[in-house]
Amino acid sequence: MPVQRIKFYQTGSFAVGNRLLDPDLRSVQADAARTNSLTTGHRACQGCGEALGARYVLDAVMRATGNRAVTVNATGCLEVFSTPFPESSWRVPWLHSLFGNAPAVATGVAAALRAKGRTDVRVVGQGGDGGTVDIGLGCLSGMFERNDDVLYVCYDNGGYMNTGVQRSGATPHGALTTTTPAGNSFRQGKSLPLIAMAHRIPYVATATVADLRDLEYKATRAMDFHGARYLHVLVPCPLGWRTASSETIQIARLATETGSFPVFEAVDGEVTDVTRIRRLRPVEDYLRPQGRFAHLFGDTPRDDVISSIQAEADRNIRTFGLTETTEVS
């Protein structure tokens, strides 16, 4: 990625990535002047990947725009845990929309700002995979077709977590949910990044909370473009994925190291950069720590499903050129 890579020689130190680096190399989160867009007092679960992702993205956006940005938030986990009436944990201009119309509301905000001549204020729409991949897909496609000047961010935790861990169109193949108790027998319903690319919008990117610098870079770069932009962020959910709250970053990293979640950038519908896998790992390393896949490794292992999931990851590796070989180690 164009973002400068930092070599860390220490582990377990509060100084790594912060005080030992020159100021211009530090992350947004290492800056004492960061916005703290999503601040204390919210009700997110311990280890919530979505809370991390939202703060990282919006802090980067606020720095890139000089604190001149408006956020439109779809109904969902992020909205519910951050704004229990009459309180709010947001420190940015923030609007709540319905479950499926955040892209349309964000479009309206952008149009109103344009009518007022406020070209200096940027608009960000955001929601979970339920409100983006499923319920809000029509509004989002319309936003893409019109090329509205909005950055839309999907925080993908693979299900409708706020209402009880139901399956969404982003739930992985084989995963348990409350509506697929025997395991999701569907293939992953749809790839929103690929759908966004098919609209030939100016900028599309994927990222995870496991690579802070990459995520901040992409949120920042998105603000260099005008028109419709889309950022898809993998945010593990300890509750729905049945993982320990301390494993969120590790699980997100395994998603990329196995090819299960390709990380890339695309401009005008064409892939321009990918994050290559330095050490390719089998999907089993990603699946085993997650309780939602425990049934695949029980007394009667589902080798057929595991092989199918591995084949899907291998296809990602080939499609995006994530490594020079498809053999796992």
Side-chain angles (χ1 to χ4, degrees):
M1 290 295 177
V3 62
Q4 183 172 351
R5 294 292 182 183
I6 305 297
K7 176 63 177 178
F8 296 125
Y9 294 94
Q10 296 172 279
T11 58
S13 168
F14 290 112
V16 171
N18 299 299
R19 297 192 307 274
L20 296 184
L21 293 177
D22 292 335
D24 59 343
L25 294 180
R26 297 173 189 172
S27 69
V28 177
Q29 290 301 306
D31 186 352
R34 67 184 184 274
T35 306
N36 277 330
S37 303
L38 180 62
T39 191
T40 57
H42 61 71
R43 271 71 163 173
C45 298
Q46 188 175 26
C48 174
E50 190 169 33
L52 288 175
R55 190 182 74 186
Y56 294 167
V57 167
L58 289 179
D59 278 356
V61 166
M62 294 302 282
R63 185 169 76 172
T65 61
N67 292 327
R68 291 187 296 273
V70 178
T71 305
V72 176
N73 205 133
T75 296
C77 255
L78 182 58
E79 170 264 325
V80 169
F81 73 61
S82 64
T83 57
F85 183 82
E87 302 169 7
S88 175
S89 294
W90 295 102
R91 297 183 63 189
V92 295
W94 185 91
L95 292 82
H96 172 213
S97 74
L98 300 177
F99 215 144
N101 70 345
V105 173
T107 292
V109 172
L113 289 168
R114 186 171 63 251
K116 292 173 66 67
R118 293 300 305 272
T119 58
D120 59 321
V121 180
R122 310 301 297 278
V123 181
V124 177
Q126 58 182 7
D129 53 284
T132 304
V133 176
D134 294 340
I135 304 174
L137 182 58
C139 287
L140 188 62
S141 178
M143 190 197 96
F144 291 161
E145 290 181 17
R146 294 186 300 269
N147 198 30
D148 295 318
D149 191 21
V150 174
L151 166 62
Y152 190 92
V153 186
C154 174
Y155 303 107
D156 179 4
N157 57 21
Y160 291 85
M161 303 308 182
N162 176 57
T163 52
V165 193
Q166 295 91 355
R167 177 194 178 272
S168 79
T171 301
H173 180 206
L176 289 174
T177 70
T178 54
T179 50
T180 56
N184 178 25
S185 59
F186 303 96
R187 300 295 176 143
Q188 181 165 318
K190 54 190 81 80
S191 169
L192 224 303
L194 294 183
I195 292 174
M197 288 171 58
H199 287 75
R200 300 292 195 269
I201 62 175
Y203 185 72
V204 175
T206 64
T208 81
V209 291
D211 192 336
L212 170 62
R213 292 175 179 277
D214 177 66
L215 178 54
E216 289 182 342
Y217 158 74
K218 288 170 177 171
T220 300
R221 189 178 185 214
M223 306 316 292
D224 291 337
F225 293 83
H226 285 272
R229 290 143 287 145
Y230 182 70
L231 178 58
H232 194 101
V233 187
L234 185 69
V235 290
C237 170
L239 174 66
W241 295 21
R242 303 183 188 182
T243 56
S245 59
S246 60
E247 295 176 338
T248 298
I249 301 302
Q250 178 185 359
I251 295 296
R253 185 174 294 115
L254 286 169
T256 63
E257 290 178 343
T258 58
S260 300
F261 186 84
V263 176
F264 64 90
E265 286 182 290
V267 175
D268 296 328
E270 296 185 4
V271 175
T272 57
D273 206 350
V274 300
T275 297
R276 294 190 179 276
I277 302 171
R278 292 193 298 176
R279 176 177 176 269
L280 185 60
R281 303 176 66 164
V283 293
E284 185 174 334
D285 289 357
Y286 173 55
L287 303 178
R288 275 193 180 276
Q290 302 180 53
R292 61 177 177 164
F293 293 110
H295 60 291
L296 301 180
F297 304 97
D299 295 335
T300 306
R302 293 299 307 274
D303 293 334
D304 56 330
V305 177
I306 297 172
S307 296
S308 178
I309 297 172
Q310 181 67 65
E312 293 169 11
D314 291 343
R315 180 177 179 177
N316 287 335
I317 293 167
R318 293 192 303 271
T319 300
F320 293 97
L322 300 179
T323 183
E324 294 181 359
T325 176
T326 59
E327 296 180 2
V328 298
S329 59

